[in-house]
């Protein structure tokens, strides 16, 4: 019995490959047709083209839009960050089905595009075994490169293939826990039926692959145009950091959410030293000295909002100071993400990803105190003096913009969002049900979905330096509290110092000042709460929150809230922040994805995740 869907051999009788990078479309330009392994991997250019193609198997390579899930939605809409609004009210999106608990091993359609393999979610394509198969093939045959090829070039390609293999296993692990480790390039005649490996085995494999890639990659950051944007030493170290952070987290670091000790979903017992390993891995990235937090390119425009907003478009010769991206997918200019999240009130509006009141309430006040609806001053003007990242991320009632899509105004002629009941931006099939629209990632200054014109670079961040600082803060605090420093650090940072760097870039006061204003002490427990909220805000909509609340085991069944805004006769507004916007069904089995039933049927050694 052979499973030729999960792990099939790569037939090269005729293969059309397209040169591709996981960062820039310039590598997609030249299609190349190859005949066989002996032709591909005995020529350095063709071998590099193969590796380029291998790197197009990541989730962000599904398409230009960040709304890549079926129905044109973001994963954020399956979490407490948002709900998905579609003008198609008859066919729910994948996140809407997940939110309703309406998904199963036999109903796994995940991406907008068909995977061509029975709609088995991301088990195969765009973060699964399909890309892993290509990495295995490259690693099997790259030694066939001629001796004239430099050791640096050969090792770089091997490093990229090793990293991609680790990354594909990571995407699978993140969703399913213990999965089959596939580290060989199978031939058509091979029996590829194999069981799932334990959580420990998978984590150890990913970490060992990262360590191997680190030794293969050059010791310096890339400077050649042909190499900038490729995976490098820092990329492998970032993946190691994230993997060890997950491994140390409560979901995995114990006897399991159901206390079964099932090693396919957990280690079986807790070990606090796993936090130390995670802290050290994050500190190692800091010690490279390659990265820093981005600030706006124009010094005259630097402020917390601009720094954060501009980060996600900062690519090219005009933004050479952007050293925050460790590994990202950068597309040539397009407007797909703006199209998919265009607010009501305009022609071609879709609604898209509508942030929840729960997320909005998580943004602090600008002075570091917490927002509170029970404070009459804050309740009367809930969007005044908030964390600057709020204004770069959320479109709210009364938000004003000089230029927004088809409105080409000025400081004296701004577009004003009316998201109150009966307002122009709260009408039609695309109207929000939470009271908000998404601003993060959007560049409506240069993109106009009304006329289908304009475009901007979109940089999907697989890894960025802010995440590393958050990883260091979380792991360090759990390992030893607010003052913990990883042993042997060359550029030592405590958890508090790491968070303060992120807050400073955002224009927020440091932890000491904020805690003093709140009247709370700097303890491990209080800092844990702060770190988790900082992560929620800083990494919002970047496909972290869905998994974070699971690995922390703080997810609950219930509704996310929206706000009902009413315009009063005196032109003021009243707000009801307790509108039940969408039920987010959570059953303990939802800690992990179900393995697609078609794969269970094909592979009798695969065991389904508990509860599915």
């Amino acid at each position: 019995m052979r499973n030729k869907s999960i792990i099939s051999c790569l037939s090269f009788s005729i293969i059309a490959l397209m040169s591709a990078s996981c960062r820039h479309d310039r590598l997609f330009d030249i299609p190349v047709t190859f005949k066989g392994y002996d032709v591909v991997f005995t020529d350095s250019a063709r071998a590099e083209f193969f590796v380029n193609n291998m790197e197009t198997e990541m989730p962000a390579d599904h398409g230009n839009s960040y709304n890549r899930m079926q129905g044109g939605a973001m994963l954020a809409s399956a979490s407490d960050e948002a709900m998905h609004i579609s003008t198609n009210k008859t066919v729910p999106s994948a996140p809407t089905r997940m939110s309703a608990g309406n998904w199963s091993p036999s109903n796994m359609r995940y991406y907008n595009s068909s995977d061509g393999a029975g709609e088995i979610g991301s088990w195969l394509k765009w973060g699964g075994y399909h890309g892993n198969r290509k990495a295995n093939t490259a690693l099997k045959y790259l030694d066939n490169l001629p001796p004239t090829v430099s050791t640096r070039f050969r090792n770089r390609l091997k490093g990229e293939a090793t990293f991609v293999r680790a990354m594909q296993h990571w995407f699978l692990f993140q969703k399913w826990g213990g999965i089959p480790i596939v580290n060989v390039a199978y031939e058509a005649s091979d029996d590829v039926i194999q069981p799932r490996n334990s959580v420990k085995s998978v984590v150890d494999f990913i970490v060992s692959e990262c360590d191997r890639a680190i030794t293969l990659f050059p010791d310096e950051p890339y400077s050649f145009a042909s190499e900038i944007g490729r995976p490098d030493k820092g990329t492998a170290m970032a993946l190691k950091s994230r993997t060890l952070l997950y491994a140390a987290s409560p979901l995995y670091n114990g006897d399991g959410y159901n206390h079964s000790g099932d090693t396919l979903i957990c280690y079986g017992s807790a070990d606090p030293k796993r936090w130390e390993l995670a802290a050290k891995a994050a500190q190692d990235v800091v010690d490279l000295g390659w990265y820093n937090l981005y600030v706006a390119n124009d010094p005259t425009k630097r402020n917390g909002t601009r720094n954060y907003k501009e980060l996600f478009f900062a690519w090219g010769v005009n933004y050479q100071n952007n050293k925050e991206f460790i590994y990202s997918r950068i597309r040539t200019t397009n407007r797909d993400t703006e199209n998919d999240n265009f607010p009501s009130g305009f022609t071609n509006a879709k609604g898209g990803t509508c942030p929840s009141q729960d997320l909005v309430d998580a943004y602090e006040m600008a002075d570091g105190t917490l927002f509170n609806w029970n404070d009459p001053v804050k309740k009367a003007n809930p969007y005044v003096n908030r964390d600057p990242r709020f204004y770069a991320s959320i479109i709210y009632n009364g938000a004003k913009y000089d230029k927004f899509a088809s409105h080409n105004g000025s400081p004296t002629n701004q577009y004003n969002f009316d998201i109150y009941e009966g307002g122009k931006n709260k009408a039609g099939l695309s109207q929000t049900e939470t009271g908000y629209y998404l601003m993060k990632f959007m560049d409506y200054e240069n993109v106009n979905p009304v006329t289908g014109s304009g475009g901007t670079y979109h940089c999907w961040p697989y890894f960025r330096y802010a995440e590393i600082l958050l990883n260091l803060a979380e792991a360090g605090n759990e390992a030893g509290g607010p003052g913990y420093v990883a042993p042997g650090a060359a550029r030592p940072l405590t958890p508090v110092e790491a968070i303060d760097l992120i807050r400073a870039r955002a224009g927020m006061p440091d932890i000491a000042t904020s805690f003093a204003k709140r009247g709370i002490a700097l303890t491990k427990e209080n800092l844990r709460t702060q770190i988790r909220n900082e992560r929620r805000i800083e990494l919002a909509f970047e496909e972290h929150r869905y998994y974070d609340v699971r690995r922390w085991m703080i997810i609950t069944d219930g509704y996310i809230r929206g706000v009902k805004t009413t315009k009063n006769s005196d032109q003021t507004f009243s707000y009801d922040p307790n509108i039940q916007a969408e039920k987010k069904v959570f059953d303990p089995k939802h800690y992990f994805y179900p393995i697609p039933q078609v794969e269970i049927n094909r592979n009798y050694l695969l065991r389904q995740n508990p509860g599915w």
Side-chain angles (χ1 to χ4, degrees):
M1 184 175 187
R2 310 191 186 284
N3 183 348
K4 294 182 181 177
S5 171
I6 300 179
I7 340 165
S8 60
C9 77
L10 185 57
S11 172
F12 270 86
S13 55
I14 298 179
I15 290 183
L17 293 181
M18 188 167 284
S19 170
S21 164
C22 47
R23 280 206 181 181
H24 197 280
D25 282 339
R26 60 184 174 75
L27 293 174
F28 278 100
D29 294 340
I30 308 171
V32 181
T33 301
F34 299 136
K35 293 184 178 180
Y37 300 116
D38 57 335
V39 175
V40 176
F41 292 102
T42 56
D43 179 274
S44 61
R46 291 169 177 167
E48 187 173 33
F49 287 154
F50 181 90
V51 170
N52 293 342
N53 178 268
M54 171 193 71
E55 294 173 14
T56 66
E57 293 289 345
M58 305 292 188
D61 286 286
H62 171 272
N64 283 335
S65 178
Y66 295 170
N67 296 51
R68 47 183 165 264
M69 295 184 70
Q70 186 192 22
M74 289 182 176
L75 181 62
S77 295
S79 75
D80 61 0
E81 290 181 303
M83 72 176 293
H84 181 242
I85 296 298
S86 173
T87 55
N88 183 345
K89 304 301 181 183
T90 59
V91 181
S93 66
T96 300
R97 295 198 312 271
M98 294 167 71
S99 295
N102 186 24
W103 56 313
S104 71
S106 300
N107 182 18
M108 288 291 293
R109 179 67 181 265
Y110 194 77
Y111 290 112
N112 278 321
S113 300
S114 171
D115 57 25
E119 308 309 339
I120 56 178
S122 55
W123 181 264
L124 183 68
K125 295 189 71 173
W126 302 298
Y129 285 109
H130 193 263
N132 185 68
R133 178 190 65 190
K134 292 182 179 181
N136 284 332
T137 299
L139 289 168
K140 181 176 181 178
Y141 292 102
L142 279 170
D143 281 332
N144 291 338
L145 285 169
T148 53
V149 171
S150 71
T151 299
R152 184 186 184 281
F153 180 83
R154 186 191 308 268
N155 284 347
R156 196 204 78 201
L157 294 190
K158 286 184 177 180
E160 291 182 29
T162 302
F163 164 75
V164 169
R165 182 162 70 182
M167 190 74 167
Q168 299 294 359
H169 278 81
W170 158 255
F171 287 129
L172 291 160
F173 167 76
Q174 188 181 36
K175 294 181 177 69
W176 285 283
I179 44 95
I181 295 172
V182 183
N183 59 356
V184 295
Y186 286 109
E187 302 295 340
S189 59
D190 291 337
D191 186 349
V192 298
I193 296 299
Q194 67 180 84
R196 297 168 64 184
N197 293 90
S198 68
V199 162
K200 181 182 185 304
S201 295
V202 176
V203 170
D204 288 350
F205 174 74
I206 295 171
V207 169
S208 67
E209 290 290 278
C210 289
D211 286 339
R212 180 169 179 264
I214 289 167
T215 65
L216 288 166
F217 283 127
D219 290 328
E220 67 284 338
Y222 295 144
S223 58
F224 297 116
S226 60
E227 293 183 330
I228 292 174
R230 294 182 176 277
D232 58 15
K233 183 186 291 287
T235 309
M237 294 171 75
L239 175 56
K240 179 179 178 179
S241 167
R242 186 187 293 174
T243 302
L244 289 174
L245 183 77
Y246 271 60
S249 300
L251 180 61
Y252 305 97
N253 193 6
D255 61 359
Y257 71 84
N258 56 5
H259 305 293
S260 66
D262 184 349
T263 57
L264 295 182
I265 60 171
C266 66
Y267 275 93
S269 61
D271 183 352
K273 290 189 178 299
R274 294 190 179 108
W275 287 114
E276 296 177 15
L277 295 174
K280 179 63 167 63
Q283 181 66 59
D284 286 345
V285 182
V286 173
D287 287 347
L288 270 181
W290 293 4
Y291 308 108
N292 52 49
L293 297 175
Y294 178 81
V295 293
N297 200 52
D298 184 345
T300 65
K301 296 181 179 179
R302 285 178 185 166
N303 57 57
T305 298
R306 189 74 184 186
N307 292 344
Y308 190 72
K309 178 179 175 59
E310 196 174 281
L311 161 67
F312 302 100
F313 312 113
W315 172 255
V317 295
N318 295 324
Y319 297 98
Q320 294 183 16
N321 67 321
N322 189 352
K323 305 295 184 183
E324 182 161 349
F325 287 124
I326 297 174
Y327 186 61
S328 66
R329 181 59 167 101
I330 298 182
R331 296 278 183 180
T332 51
T333 56
N334 66 84
R335 54 184 172 274
D336 297 70
T337 304
E338 285 84 357
N339 289 344
D340 285 341
N341 297 283
F342 199 37
S344 171
F346 295 89
T347 301
N348 296 326
K350 291 187 178 180
T353 308
C354 293
S356 68
Q357 186 64 54
D358 308 77
L359 174 61
V360 169
D361 287 353
Y363 287 88
E364 299 172 19
M365 302 302 294
D367 65 358
T369 58
L370 302 181
F371 178 82
N372 186 349
W373 281 105
N374 293 323
D375 183 326
V377 175
K378 294 175 182 176
K379 184 176 182 178
N381 295 283
Y383 311 123
V384 175
N385 295 326
R386 301 295 290 271
D387 181 327
R389 289 170 291 188
F390 170 76
Y391 304 104
S393 304
I394 311 293
I395 298 174
Y396 56 94
N397 181 61
K400 295 179 174 62
Y401 304 94
D402 294 352
K403 184 177 181 181
F404 193 96
S406 57
H407 178 85
N408 191 5
S410 66
T412 58
N413 179 28
Q414 295 179 310
Y415 185 87
N416 185 85
F417 267 88
D418 297 327
I419 318 180
Y420 55 83
E421 297 302 301
K424 66 178 181 292
N425 305 112
K426 189 73 166 61
L429 294 176
S430 60
Q431 69 175 290
T432 175
E433 293 182 30
T434 66
Y436 305 99
Y437 296 103
L438 182 61
M439 188 62 181
K440 183 172 176 177
F441 307 130
M442 309 302 152
D443 186 6
Y444 291 118
E445 293 178 16
N446 296 300
V447 170
N448 181 8
V450 172
T451 59
S453 59
T456 192
Y457 286 112
H458 286 93
C459 312
W460 177 259
Y462 286 118
F463 300 104
R464 60 185 179 96
Y465 191 52
E467 181 200 342
I468 297 301
L469 294 175
L470 288 162
N471 293 353
L472 190 156
E474 180 181 343
N477 187 57
E478 297 299 333
Y484 181 84
V485 174
R491 301 167 180 261
L493 285 176
T494 67
V496 172
E497 290 169 338
I499 293 299
D500 281 347
L501 288 174
I502 295 172
R503 292 173 68 82
R505 188 265 295 275
M508 290 293 289
D510 60 27
I511 292 296
T513 301
S514 300
F515 278 24
K517 288 191 174 183
R518 299 177 206 171
I520 62 175
L522 179 58
T523 65
K524 180 177 182 177
E525 291 71 27
N526 286 340
L527 188 58
R528 176 189 295 132
T529 299
Q530 179 66 39
I531 290 169
R532 289 180 176 181
N533 196 69
E534 202 72 44
R535 191 175 177 95
R536 183 180 196 176
I537 298 304
E538 178 67 27
L539 303 180
F541 308 105
E542 294 179 40
E543 298 190 351
H544 287 277
R545 181 69 179 176
Y546 179 91
Y547 299 104
D548 281 345
V549 295
R550 284 163 172 76
R551 67 181 180 85
W552 293 329
M553 296 180 67
I554 62 171
I555 186 172
T556 59
D557 181 89
Y559 284 88
I560 60 166
R561 294 178 296 120
V563 65
K564 180 180 179 180
T565 304
T566 303
K567 189 172 186 178
N568 303 317
S569 58
D570 61 359
Q571 305 303 301
T572 61
F573 296 96
S574 299
Y575 304 92
D576 179 357
N578 295 307
I579 302 300
Q580 292 185 338
E582 183 182 34
K583 179 68 180 293
K584 300 288 185 177
V585 174
F586 177 75
D587 183 278
K589 69 181 181 181
H590 295 145
Y591 277 116
F592 295 96
Y593 280 49
I595 294 176
Q597 189 60 45
V598 65
E599 296 302 306
I600 296 289
N601 295 341
R602 288 168 174 156
N603 183 352
Y604 63 90
L605 292 181
L606 281 181
R607 178 155 62 87
Q608 183 60 272
N609 271 325
W612 291 103

